[in-house]
Amino acid sequence: MNRADTEAGALLDELAELVQDTLAWVEWEELRGATSLPRSTAARTPSPLPLAADPSPAVRTPTPRPHTTPARAEPPRPPAPPPRAEPLRPTASPSPPSAAASDAWGALARAPVLTGLPLQAALKVAVGKPGAKERLDAVREVLGDCVRCGLHRERKSLVFGVGDPAARLVVVGEGPGREEDERGEPFVGPAGGLLDAMLERVLGLRREQVYILNMVKCRPPNNRNPEHDELLACRPFVRAQLAAIRPELVLVLGSVASKALLEQPISAVRGQWQELRWPGGSSRVMPTFHPAYLLRKPEDKRLTFEDLKLLKGALGERDPR
Ligand code: SF4
């Protein structure tokens, strides 16, 4: 082989690697909820997600590997390529996972504590499974005995969520309180009683007919608000839960969930329809006050009642999917 052939071969190898890097980066951005790609490097860094401004080690975006050629310094290089055998987006007739995908899934699910791209890859496989319950169980399996943030230290229970895995409506709260931590179920204290009443009296739904989850799965000490890094560490699982359930509608309760999911305080969006994208789809979102707040400020129940009436109207509409 002459020198020209050798150089051409090296260039082709480099081009193939660049394509692989770019595909992995696009897939990574899609998993994070991006709907379009930035035009320039400057528009791409720092991350567009506000909560990613101070990422914890558990979910930090991988640092791009230094490249020898300046022109190739753009796409971050993942530590391991995500498995490609499972579809990210819901399909009309999902195919069963291949043997190779099952092997990859088994290996990922057995890993002790996944973070970064391997975590995203495992969640992608989980939410690509065919049935809603199977998808949700797979997300729970990836979460495991989670120690990704400091909230694991004082928890009695990891409160994943409860309800119908194929619910049309998902309710998203803030985090478990003392009773929820004791019983391992979200919204079972006084605020939970008010939520049940709101669901039944305004929406005509029992709690078993919806799915209820929190932004953080472990109780913050002394019922304080979850910290930024704790929300960031737990958010991939919330998004994966939504991608597993694929709800038509989401009821967001309170400012913590509103800021974490919608990037807006509840005062700015309460009572106004929002859209929430999760890997593979999106839901219509109605933000309203948290029941715990309404217990302290009952005069605002009237506003929440109006918000729930909008939600009831949407529930009466036919699900286009
Ligand atoms: Fe893990 Fe979420 Fe619990 Fe933190 S709050 S330890 S990220 S499950």
mmCIF file of all heavy atoms in Angstrom, residues 28 31 59 82-83 86-88 105 108-109 114-129 134-144 148 160 233-241 243-244 246 279:
data_model
loop_
_atom_site.group_PDB
_atom_site.id
_atom_site.type_symbol
_atom_site.label_atom_id
_atom_site.label_comp_id
_atom_site.label_asym_id
_atom_site.label_seq_id
_atom_site.Cartn_x
_atom_site.Cartn_y
_atom_site.Cartn_z
ATOM 1 N N TRP A 28 -28.006 11.604 22.336
ATOM 2 C CA TRP A 28 -27.918 12.123 23.707
ATOM 3 C C TRP A 28 -28.801 13.343 23.880
ATOM 4 O O TRP A 28 -29.566 13.466 24.836
ATOM 5 C CB TRP A 28 -26.458 12.439 24.001
ATOM 6 C CG TRP A 28 -26.176 13.291 25.194
ATOM 7 C CD1 TRP A 28 -25.633 14.531 25.206
ATOM 8 C CD2 TRP A 28 -26.394 12.953 26.570
ATOM 9 N NE1 TRP A 28 -25.517 14.981 26.488
ATOM 10 C CE2 TRP A 28 -25.968 14.041 27.349
ATOM 11 C CE3 TRP A 28 -26.927 11.842 27.217
ATOM 12 C CZ2 TRP A 28 -26.051 14.050 28.714
ATOM 13 C CZ3 TRP A 28 -27.010 11.866 28.598
ATOM 14 C CH2 TRP A 28 -26.568 12.954 29.324
ATOM 15 N N LEU A 31 -32.453 12.354 23.978
ATOM 16 C CA LEU A 31 -32.835 11.802 25.279
ATOM 17 C C LEU A 31 -33.057 12.894 26.303
ATOM 18 O O LEU A 31 -33.850 12.752 27.233
ATOM 19 C CB LEU A 31 -31.740 10.862 25.788
ATOM 20 C CG LEU A 31 -31.819 9.446 25.254
ATOM 21 C CD1 LEU A 31 -30.510 8.723 25.469
ATOM 22 C CD2 LEU A 31 -32.949 8.690 25.932
ATOM 23 N N VAL A 59 -25.291 13.192 37.091
ATOM 24 C CA VAL A 59 -25.942 13.419 35.807
ATOM 25 C C VAL A 59 -25.174 14.402 34.937
ATOM 26 O O VAL A 59 -25.698 14.928 33.992
ATOM 27 C CB VAL A 59 -27.379 13.942 36.012
ATOM 28 C CG1 VAL A 59 -28.253 12.869 36.588
ATOM 29 C CG2 VAL A 59 -27.375 15.178 36.871
ATOM 30 N N PRO A 82 -24.732 4.188 23.251
ATOM 31 C CA PRO A 82 -25.986 3.618 23.711
ATOM 32 C C PRO A 82 -26.437 2.510 22.775
ATOM 33 O O PRO A 82 -26.167 2.572 21.582
ATOM 34 C CB PRO A 82 -26.962 4.804 23.673
ATOM 35 C CG PRO A 82 -26.337 5.787 22.764
ATOM 36 C CD PRO A 82 -24.870 5.561 22.774
ATOM 37 N N PRO A 83 -27.126 1.484 23.298
ATOM 38 C CA PRO A 83 -27.611 0.429 22.420
ATOM 39 C C PRO A 83 -28.633 0.985 21.455
ATOM 40 O O PRO A 83 -29.429 1.837 21.804
ATOM 41 C CB PRO A 83 -28.253 -0.564 23.397
ATOM 42 C CG PRO A 83 -28.503 0.196 24.632
ATOM 43 C CD PRO A 83 -27.478 1.282 24.679
ATOM 44 N N GLU A 86 -33.374 -0.658 20.376
ATOM 45 C CA GLU A 86 -34.720 -0.351 20.838
ATOM 46 C C GLU A 86 -35.154 1.018 20.352
ATOM 47 O O GLU A 86 -34.385 1.966 20.385
ATOM 48 C CB GLU A 86 -34.750 -0.343 22.376
ATOM 49 C CG GLU A 86 -34.492 -1.699 22.973
ATOM 50 C CD GLU A 86 -35.707 -2.585 22.863
ATOM 51 O OE1 GLU A 86 -36.826 -2.088 23.035
ATOM 52 O OE2 GLU A 86 -35.541 -3.775 22.600
ATOM 53 N N PRO A 87 -36.416 1.169 19.904
ATOM 54 C CA PRO A 87 -36.869 2.482 19.444
ATOM 55 C C PRO A 87 -37.083 3.427 20.607
ATOM 56 O O PRO A 87 -37.543 3.017 21.669
ATOM 57 C CB PRO A 87 -38.213 2.154 18.772
ATOM 58 C CG PRO A 87 -38.667 0.894 19.422
ATOM 59 C CD PRO A 87 -37.430 0.151 19.802
ATOM 60 N N LEU A 88 -36.731 4.713 20.430
ATOM 61 C CA LEU A 88 -36.987 5.714 21.461
ATOM 62 C C LEU A 88 -38.424 6.183 21.395
ATOM 63 O O LEU A 88 -39.096 6.326 22.389
ATOM 64 C CB LEU A 88 -36.047 6.902 21.263
ATOM 65 C CG LEU A 88 -36.319 8.107 22.159
ATOM 66 C CD1 LEU A 88 -36.125 7.742 23.612
ATOM 67 C CD2 LEU A 88 -35.419 9.256 21.779
ATOM 68 N N TRP A 105 -29.656 -4.985 27.846
ATOM 69 C CA TRP A 105 -30.508 -4.510 28.925
ATOM 70 C C TRP A 105 -30.141 -5.184 30.240
ATOM 71 O O TRP A 105 -30.008 -4.547 31.279
ATOM 72 C CB TRP A 105 -31.976 -4.784 28.572
ATOM 73 C CG TRP A 105 -32.853 -4.733 29.763
ATOM 74 C CD1 TRP A 105 -33.502 -5.766 30.366
ATOM 75 C CD2 TRP A 105 -33.131 -3.588 30.563
ATOM 76 N NE1 TRP A 105 -34.175 -5.338 31.454
ATOM 77 C CE2 TRP A 105 -33.965 -4.003 31.613
ATOM 78 C CE3 TRP A 105 -32.757 -2.246 30.487
ATOM 79 C CZ2 TRP A 105 -34.432 -3.133 32.571
ATOM 80 C CZ3 TRP A 105 -33.227 -1.391 31.456
ATOM 81 C CH2 TRP A 105 -34.045 -1.832 32.464
ATOM 82 N N LEU A 108 -26.985 -3.758 31.584
ATOM 83 C CA LEU A 108 -27.172 -2.404 32.107
ATOM 84 C C LEU A 108 -27.938 -2.429 33.426
ATOM 85 O O LEU A 108 -27.584 -1.742 34.379
ATOM 86 C CB LEU A 108 -27.941 -1.554 31.086
ATOM 87 C CG LEU A 108 -27.129 -1.089 29.873
ATOM 88 C CD1 LEU A 108 -28.047 -0.595 28.789
ATOM 89 C CD2 LEU A 108 -26.148 -0.004 30.288
ATOM 90 N N ALA A 109 -29.009 -3.246 33.469
ATOM 91 C CA ALA A 109 -29.836 -3.267 34.677
ATOM 92 C C ALA A 109 -29.076 -3.829 35.869
ATOM 93 O O ALA A 109 -29.395 -3.516 37.005
ATOM 94 C CB ALA A 109 -31.097 -4.083 34.419
ATOM 95 N N LEU A 114 -25.906 3.413 37.739
ATOM 96 C CA LEU A 114 -25.597 4.010 36.444
ATOM 97 C C LEU A 114 -25.729 5.524 36.523
ATOM 98 O O LEU A 114 -26.619 6.047 37.181
ATOM 99 C CB LEU A 114 -26.565 3.481 35.388
ATOM 100 C CG LEU A 114 -26.461 1.995 35.072
ATOM 101 C CD1 LEU A 114 -27.609 1.574 34.183
ATOM 102 C CD2 LEU A 114 -25.134 1.677 34.421
ATOM 103 N N THR A 115 -24.849 6.212 35.831
ATOM 104 C CA THR A 115 -24.942 7.669 35.711
ATOM 105 C C THR A 115 -24.605 8.054 34.284
ATOM 106 O O THR A 115 -24.124 7.233 33.504
ATOM 107 C CB THR A 115 -23.957 8.374 36.666
ATOM 108 O OG1 THR A 115 -22.639 7.955 36.334
ATOM 109 C CG2 THR A 115 -24.243 8.055 38.122
ATOM 110 N N GLY A 116 -24.839 9.332 33.965
ATOM 111 C CA GLY A 116 -24.424 9.863 32.673
ATOM 112 C C GLY A 116 -25.026 9.092 31.510
ATOM 113 O O GLY A 116 -26.172 8.661 31.535
ATOM 114 N N LEU A 117 -24.224 8.922 30.464
ATOM 115 C CA LEU A 117 -24.730 8.273 29.253
ATOM 116 C C LEU A 117 -25.171 6.829 29.473
ATOM 117 O O LEU A 117 -26.190 6.419 28.925
ATOM 118 C CB LEU A 117 -23.670 8.334 28.155
ATOM 119 C CG LEU A 117 -23.783 9.537 27.222
ATOM 120 C CD1 LEU A 117 -22.735 9.457 26.138
ATOM 121 C CD2 LEU A 117 -25.159 9.605 26.590
ATOM 122 N N PRO A 118 -24.445 6.008 30.258
ATOM 123 C CA PRO A 118 -24.947 4.643 30.483
ATOM 124 C C PRO A 118 -26.337 4.646 31.128
ATOM 125 O O PRO A 118 -27.184 3.829 30.796
ATOM 126 C CB PRO A 118 -23.903 4.026 31.413
ATOM 127 C CG PRO A 118 -22.656 4.780 31.115
ATOM 128 C CD PRO A 118 -23.087 6.188 30.812
ATOM 129 N N LEU A 119 -26.585 5.613 32.044
ATOM 130 C CA LEU A 119 -27.926 5.718 32.642
ATOM 131 C C LEU A 119 -28.945 6.067 31.561
ATOM 132 O O LEU A 119 -30.016 5.454 31.487
ATOM 133 C CB LEU A 119 -27.921 6.791 33.740
ATOM 134 C CG LEU A 119 -29.307 7.189 34.267
ATOM 135 C CD1 LEU A 119 -29.996 6.008 34.925
ATOM 136 C CD2 LEU A 119 -29.209 8.359 35.232
ATOM 137 N N GLN A 120 -28.635 7.053 30.735
ATOM 138 C CA GLN A 120 -29.565 7.439 29.681
ATOM 139 C C GLN A 120 -29.831 6.274 28.738
ATOM 140 O O GLN A 120 -30.959 6.063 28.286
ATOM 141 C CB GLN A 120 -29.012 8.639 28.887
ATOM 142 C CG GLN A 120 -28.853 9.910 29.709
ATOM 143 C CD GLN A 120 -30.184 10.465 30.207
ATOM 144 O OE1 GLN A 120 -31.235 10.112 29.692
ATOM 145 N NE2 GLN A 120 -30.140 11.299 31.222
ATOM 146 N N ALA A 121 -28.784 5.509 28.445
ATOM 147 C CA ALA A 121 -28.955 4.359 27.554
ATOM 148 C C ALA A 121 -29.868 3.319 28.193
ATOM 149 O O ALA A 121 -30.755 2.762 27.535
ATOM 150 C CB ALA A 121 -27.590 3.751 27.237
ATOM 151 N N ALA A 122 -29.679 3.068 29.500
ATOM 152 C CA ALA A 122 -30.518 2.082 30.192
ATOM 153 C C ALA A 122 -31.973 2.550 30.233
ATOM 154 O O ALA A 122 -32.895 1.754 30.021
ATOM 155 C CB ALA A 122 -29.987 1.857 31.609
ATOM 156 N N LEU A 123 -32.175 3.845 30.490
ATOM 157 C CA LEU A 123 -33.547 4.362 30.525
ATOM 158 C C LEU A 123 -34.171 4.310 29.139
ATOM 159 O O LEU A 123 -35.361 4.048 28.989
ATOM 160 C CB LEU A 123 -33.555 5.801 31.067
ATOM 161 C CG LEU A 123 -33.228 5.936 32.557
ATOM 162 C CD1 LEU A 123 -33.157 7.405 32.960
ATOM 163 C CD2 LEU A 123 -34.248 5.205 33.421
ATOM 164 N N LYS A 124 -33.359 4.521 28.130
ATOM 165 C CA LYS A 124 -33.881 4.462 26.759
ATOM 166 C C LYS A 124 -34.375 3.048 26.442
ATOM 167 O O LYS A 124 -35.449 2.870 25.854
ATOM 168 C CB LYS A 124 -32.775 4.863 25.788
ATOM 169 C CG LYS A 124 -33.210 4.800 24.351
ATOM 170 C CD LYS A 124 -32.073 5.171 23.431
ATOM 171 C CE LYS A 124 -32.496 4.947 21.980
ATOM 172 N NZ LYS A 124 -31.400 5.203 21.060
ATOM 173 N N VAL A 125 -33.612 2.057 26.856
ATOM 174 C CA VAL A 125 -34.047 0.671 26.640
ATOM 175 C C VAL A 125 -35.328 0.411 27.428
ATOM 176 O O VAL A 125 -36.283 -0.186 26.923
ATOM 177 C CB VAL A 125 -32.937 -0.315 27.064
ATOM 178 C CG1 VAL A 125 -33.433 -1.751 26.964
ATOM 179 C CG2 VAL A 125 -31.705 -0.127 26.193
ATOM 180 N N ALA A 126 -35.364 0.916 28.679
ATOM 181 C CA ALA A 126 -36.540 0.681 29.534
ATOM 182 C C ALA A 126 -37.807 1.246 28.909
ATOM 183 O O ALA A 126 -38.834 0.568 28.860
ATOM 184 C CB ALA A 126 -36.304 1.300 30.917
ATOM 185 N N VAL A 127 -37.733 2.481 28.407
ATOM 186 C CA VAL A 127 -38.956 3.116 27.890
ATOM 187 C C VAL A 127 -39.273 2.669 26.461
ATOM 188 O O VAL A 127 -40.282 3.077 25.897
ATOM 189 C CB VAL A 127 -38.895 4.660 27.978
ATOM 190 C CG1 VAL A 127 -38.642 5.101 29.398
ATOM 191 C CG2 VAL A 127 -37.847 5.238 27.043
ATOM 192 N N GLY A 128 -38.435 1.817 25.893
ATOM 193 C CA GLY A 128 -38.728 1.264 24.572
ATOM 194 C C GLY A 128 -39.436 -0.071 24.649
ATOM 195 O O GLY A 128 -39.775 -0.651 23.624
ATOM 196 N N LYS A 129 -39.674 -0.575 25.852
ATOM 197 C CA LYS A 129 -40.340 -1.882 25.986
ATOM 198 C C LYS A 129 -41.806 -1.768 25.568
ATOM 199 O O LYS A 129 -42.366 -0.688 25.570
ATOM 200 C CB LYS A 129 -40.197 -2.371 27.432
ATOM 201 C CG LYS A 129 -38.774 -2.858 27.717
ATOM 202 C CD LYS A 129 -38.547 -3.240 29.142
ATOM 203 C CE LYS A 129 -37.165 -3.840 29.299
ATOM 204 N NZ LYS A 129 -37.081 -5.227 28.813
ATOM 205 N N GLU A 134 -44.563 -2.880 31.922
ATOM 206 C CA GLU A 134 -43.208 -3.402 31.713
ATOM 207 C C GLU A 134 -42.206 -2.241 31.632
ATOM 208 O O GLU A 134 -41.115 -2.309 32.205
ATOM 209 C CB GLU A 134 -43.202 -4.219 30.425
ATOM 210 C CG GLU A 134 -41.997 -5.113 30.285
ATOM 211 C CD GLU A 134 -41.975 -5.817 28.939
ATOM 212 O OE1 GLU A 134 -42.922 -5.624 28.150
ATOM 213 O OE2 GLU A 134 -41.000 -6.546 28.686
ATOM 214 N N ARG A 135 -42.605 -1.171 30.952
ATOM 215 C CA ARG A 135 -41.708 -0.013 30.832
ATOM 216 C C ARG A 135 -41.453 0.605 32.209
ATOM 217 O O ARG A 135 -40.319 0.904 32.569
ATOM 218 C CB ARG A 135 -42.316 1.043 29.895
ATOM 219 C CG ARG A 135 -42.364 0.643 28.443
ATOM 220 C CD ARG A 135 -42.681 1.838 27.547
ATOM 221 N NE ARG A 135 -44.037 2.334 27.689
ATOM 222 C CZ ARG A 135 -45.082 1.889 26.985
ATOM 223 N NH1 ARG A 135 -44.915 0.929 26.094
ATOM 224 N NH2 ARG A 135 -46.282 2.408 27.167
ATOM 225 N N LEU A 136 -42.533 0.773 32.966
ATOM 226 C CA LEU A 136 -42.395 1.410 34.278
ATOM 227 C C LEU A 136 -41.572 0.533 35.228
ATOM 228 O O LEU A 136 -40.722 1.026 35.971
ATOM 229 C CB LEU A 136 -43.796 1.657 34.851
ATOM 230 C CG LEU A 136 -43.997 2.838 35.784
ATOM 231 C CD1 LEU A 136 -43.425 4.125 35.229
ATOM 232 C CD2 LEU A 136 -45.488 3.022 36.076
ATOM 233 N N ASP A 137 -41.819 -0.781 35.183
ATOM 234 C CA ASP A 137 -41.019 -1.699 36.007
ATOM 235 C C ASP A 137 -39.545 -1.624 35.631
ATOM 236 O O ASP A 137 -38.658 -1.685 36.493
ATOM 237 C CB ASP A 137 -41.509 -3.147 35.838
ATOM 238 C CG ASP A 137 -42.858 -3.376 36.516
ATOM 239 O OD1 ASP A 137 -43.284 -2.517 37.313
ATOM 240 O OD2 ASP A 137 -43.494 -4.418 36.236
ATOM 241 N N ALA A 138 -39.290 -1.472 34.333
ATOM 242 C CA ALA A 138 -37.899 -1.417 33.882
ATOM 243 C C ALA A 138 -37.227 -0.127 34.363
ATOM 244 O O ALA A 138 -36.062 -0.132 34.756
ATOM 245 C CB ALA A 138 -37.838 -1.515 32.365
ATOM 246 N N VAL A 139 -37.973 0.992 34.361
ATOM 247 C CA VAL A 139 -37.414 2.248 34.884
ATOM 248 C C VAL A 139 -37.103 2.084 36.374
ATOM 249 O O VAL A 139 -36.047 2.506 36.857
ATOM 250 C CB VAL A 139 -38.395 3.424 34.661
ATOM 251 C CG1 VAL A 139 -37.895 4.686 35.349
ATOM 252 C CG2 VAL A 139 -38.593 3.676 33.172
ATOM 253 N N ARG A 140 -38.032 1.425 37.101
ATOM 254 C CA ARG A 140 -37.796 1.205 38.539
ATOM 255 C C ARG A 140 -36.549 0.346 38.761
ATOM 256 O O ARG A 140 -35.785 0.574 39.696
ATOM 257 C CB ARG A 140 -39.030 0.514 39.163
ATOM 258 C CG ARG A 140 -38.886 0.223 40.639
ATOM 259 C CD ARG A 140 -38.779 1.496 41.448
ATOM 260 N NE ARG A 140 -38.462 1.287 42.854
ATOM 261 C CZ ARG A 140 -37.231 1.189 43.337
ATOM 262 N NH1 ARG A 140 -36.182 1.272 42.528
ATOM 263 N NH2 ARG A 140 -37.027 1.040 44.630
ATOM 264 N N GLU A 141 -36.359 -0.617 37.863
ATOM 265 C CA GLU A 141 -35.196 -1.493 37.988
ATOM 266 C C GLU A 141 -33.903 -0.707 37.773
ATOM 267 O O GLU A 141 -32.914 -0.903 38.473
ATOM 268 C CB GLU A 141 -35.306 -2.633 36.972
ATOM 269 C CG GLU A 141 -34.343 -3.760 37.239
ATOM 270 C CD GLU A 141 -34.504 -4.891 36.231
ATOM 271 O OE1 GLU A 141 -35.485 -4.877 35.461
ATOM 272 O OE2 GLU A 141 -33.636 -5.766 36.199
ATOM 273 N N VAL A 142 -33.923 0.215 36.818
ATOM 274 C CA VAL A 142 -32.729 1.032 36.577
ATOM 275 C C VAL A 142 -32.460 1.938 37.787
ATOM 276 O O VAL A 142 -31.317 2.130 38.191
ATOM 277 C CB VAL A 142 -32.893 1.900 35.304
ATOM 278 C CG1 VAL A 142 -31.688 2.817 35.117
ATOM 279 C CG2 VAL A 142 -33.072 1.011 34.074
ATOM 280 N N LEU A 143 -33.519 2.476 38.381
ATOM 281 C CA LEU A 143 -33.353 3.349 39.558
ATOM 282 C C LEU A 143 -32.678 2.592 40.698
ATOM 283 O O LEU A 143 -31.792 3.120 41.369
ATOM 284 C CB LEU A 143 -34.729 3.880 39.998
ATOM 285 C CG LEU A 143 -34.772 4.833 41.172
ATOM 286 C CD1 LEU A 143 -33.958 6.088 40.908
ATOM 287 C CD2 LEU A 143 -36.221 5.215 41.491
ATOM 288 N N GLY A 144 -33.077 1.326 40.871
ATOM 289 C CA GLY A 144 -32.437 0.468 41.866
ATOM 290 C C GLY A 144 -32.508 1.049 43.269
ATOM 291 O O GLY A 144 -33.432 1.776 43.620
ATOM 292 N N ARG A 148 -27.926 8.363 44.153
ATOM 293 C CA ARG A 148 -27.394 9.375 43.245
ATOM 294 C C ARG A 148 -27.402 10.785 43.845
ATOM 295 O O ARG A 148 -26.811 11.694 43.276
ATOM 296 C CB ARG A 148 -28.168 9.365 41.920
ATOM 297 C CG ARG A 148 -27.904 8.097 41.107
ATOM 298 C CD ARG A 148 -28.758 8.026 39.870
ATOM 299 N NE ARG A 148 -28.511 6.817 39.111
ATOM 300 C CZ ARG A 148 -29.100 5.638 39.353
ATOM 301 N NH1 ARG A 148 -29.964 5.513 40.341
ATOM 302 N NH2 ARG A 148 -28.807 4.581 38.627
ATOM 303 N N PHE A 160 -41.382 5.592 44.637
ATOM 304 C CA PHE A 160 -41.285 5.671 43.171
ATOM 305 C C PHE A 160 -42.535 6.287 42.554
ATOM 306 O O PHE A 160 -42.453 7.173 41.704
ATOM 307 C CB PHE A 160 -41.064 4.260 42.630
ATOM 308 C CG PHE A 160 -40.867 4.191 41.149
ATOM 309 C CD1 PHE A 160 -39.746 4.751 40.547
ATOM 310 C CD2 PHE A 160 -41.795 3.545 40.336
ATOM 311 C CE1 PHE A 160 -39.556 4.680 39.168
ATOM 312 C CE2 PHE A 160 -41.614 3.468 38.962
ATOM 313 C CZ PHE A 160 -40.497 4.035 38.381
ATOM 314 N N ALA A 233 -30.632 15.286 39.903
ATOM 315 C CA ALA A 233 -30.274 13.863 39.952
ATOM 316 C C ALA A 233 -31.490 12.975 39.713
ATOM 317 O O ALA A 233 -31.382 11.912 39.103
ATOM 318 C CB ALA A 233 -29.641 13.540 41.305
ATOM 319 N N CYS A 234 -32.650 13.400 40.168
ATOM 320 C CA CYS A 234 -33.845 12.562 40.077
ATOM 321 C C CYS A 234 -34.637 12.799 38.794
ATOM 322 O O CYS A 234 -35.460 11.974 38.406
ATOM 323 C CB CYS A 234 -34.742 12.810 41.294
ATOM 324 S SG CYS A 234 -35.398 11.304 42.020
ATOM 325 N N ARG A 235 -34.403 13.920 38.140
ATOM 326 C CA ARG A 235 -35.236 14.269 36.984
ATOM 327 C C ARG A 235 -35.194 13.269 35.832
ATOM 328 O O ARG A 235 -36.234 13.021 35.201
ATOM 329 C CB ARG A 235 -34.880 15.675 36.487
ATOM 330 C CG ARG A 235 -35.907 16.191 35.483
ATOM 331 C CD ARG A 235 -35.707 17.637 35.136
ATOM 332 N NE ARG A 235 -34.424 17.861 34.486
ATOM 333 C CZ ARG A 235 -34.093 19.012 33.900
ATOM 334 N NH1 ARG A 235 -34.944 20.022 33.927
ATOM 335 N NH2 ARG A 235 -32.924 19.161 33.338
ATOM 336 N N PRO A 236 -34.063 12.644 35.534
ATOM 337 C CA PRO A 236 -34.098 11.640 34.451
ATOM 338 C C PRO A 236 -35.118 10.538 34.701
ATOM 339 O O PRO A 236 -35.715 10.014 33.756
ATOM 340 C CB PRO A 236 -32.675 11.080 34.435
ATOM 341 C CG PRO A 236 -31.830 12.138 35.043
ATOM 342 C CD PRO A 236 -32.699 12.820 36.063
ATOM 343 N N PHE A 237 -35.348 10.210 35.970
ATOM 344 C CA PHE A 237 -36.301 9.136 36.285
ATOM 345 C C PHE A 237 -37.741 9.624 36.144
ATOM 346 O O PHE A 237 -38.620 8.873 35.751
ATOM 347 C CB PHE A 237 -36.020 8.578 37.681
ATOM 348 C CG PHE A 237 -34.644 7.994 37.765
ATOM 349 C CD1 PHE A 237 -33.596 8.709 38.297
ATOM 350 C CD2 PHE A 237 -34.392 6.741 37.228
ATOM 351 C CE1 PHE A 237 -32.312 8.189 38.319
ATOM 352 C CE2 PHE A 237 -33.117 6.205 37.243
ATOM 353 C CZ PHE A 237 -32.076 6.935 37.785
ATOM 354 N N VAL A 238 -37.965 10.885 36.473
ATOM 355 C CA VAL A 238 -39.305 11.454 36.266
ATOM 356 C C VAL A 238 -39.621 11.474 34.768
ATOM 357 O O VAL A 238 -40.700 11.059 34.333
ATOM 358 C CB VAL A 238 -39.379 12.882 36.853
ATOM 359 C CG1 VAL A 238 -40.714 13.534 36.522
ATOM 360 C CG2 VAL A 238 -39.156 12.837 38.366
ATOM 361 N N ARG A 239 -38.660 11.934 33.990
ATOM 362 C CA ARG A 239 -38.878 11.971 32.542
ATOM 363 C C ARG A 239 -39.064 10.559 31.977
ATOM 364 O O ARG A 239 -39.885 10.332 31.099
ATOM 365 C CB ARG A 239 -37.706 12.683 31.856
ATOM 366 C CG ARG A 239 -37.696 14.183 32.092
ATOM 367 C CD ARG A 239 -36.439 14.845 31.564
ATOM 368 N NE ARG A 239 -36.190 14.540 30.164
ATOM 369 C CZ ARG A 239 -36.849 15.074 29.131
ATOM 370 N NH1 ARG A 239 -37.801 15.964 29.370
ATOM 371 N NH2 ARG A 239 -36.562 14.748 27.906
ATOM 372 N N ALA A 240 -38.300 9.618 32.509
ATOM 373 C CA ALA A 240 -38.442 8.238 32.042
ATOM 374 C C ALA A 240 -39.795 7.659 32.470
ATOM 375 O O ALA A 240 -40.414 6.892 31.718
ATOM 376 C CB ALA A 240 -37.296 7.388 32.579
ATOM 377 N N GLN A 241 -40.268 8.015 33.662
ATOM 378 C CA GLN A 241 -41.601 7.559 34.091
ATOM 379 C C GLN A 241 -42.668 8.075 33.115
ATOM 380 O O GLN A 241 -43.576 7.346 32.731
ATOM 381 C CB GLN A 241 -41.906 8.034 35.516
ATOM 382 C CG GLN A 241 -41.203 7.215 36.594
ATOM 383 C CD GLN A 241 -41.490 7.762 37.979
ATOM 384 O OE1 GLN A 241 -41.068 8.869 38.325
ATOM 385 N NE2 GLN A 241 -42.208 7.002 38.796
ATOM 386 N N ALA A 243 -42.144 8.932 30.013
ATOM 387 C CA ALA A 243 -41.952 8.234 28.737
ATOM 388 C C ALA A 243 -42.489 6.807 28.803
ATOM 389 O O ALA A 243 -42.879 6.242 27.787
ATOM 390 C CB ALA A 243 -40.472 8.234 28.365
ATOM 391 N N ALA A 244 -42.494 6.208 30.005
ATOM 392 C CA ALA A 244 -43.018 4.848 30.168
ATOM 393 C C ALA A 244 -44.552 4.862 30.155
ATOM 394 O O ALA A 244 -45.186 4.029 29.516
ATOM 395 C CB ALA A 244 -42.506 4.250 31.477
ATOM 396 N N ARG A 246 -46.502 7.466 29.109
ATOM 397 C CA ARG A 246 -46.974 8.171 27.901
ATOM 398 C C ARG A 246 -48.352 8.794 28.122
ATOM 399 O O ARG A 246 -49.309 8.530 27.379
ATOM 400 C CB ARG A 246 -47.002 7.230 26.701
ATOM 401 C CG ARG A 246 -45.643 6.597 26.427
ATOM 402 C CD ARG A 246 -45.670 5.566 25.336
ATOM 403 N NE ARG A 246 -44.370 4.925 25.202
ATOM 404 C CZ ARG A 246 -44.098 3.926 24.369
ATOM 405 N NH1 ARG A 246 -45.040 3.436 23.598
ATOM 406 N NH2 ARG A 246 -42.885 3.415 24.319
ATOM 407 N N PRO A 279 -38.850 11.892 26.498
ATOM 408 C CA PRO A 279 -38.265 11.126 25.399
ATOM 409 C C PRO A 279 -39.324 10.337 24.636
ATOM 410 O O PRO A 279 -39.957 9.441 25.158
ATOM 411 C CB PRO A 279 -37.286 10.184 26.107
ATOM 412 C CG PRO A 279 -36.936 10.899 27.357
ATOM 413 C CD PRO A 279 -38.184 11.651 27.768
#
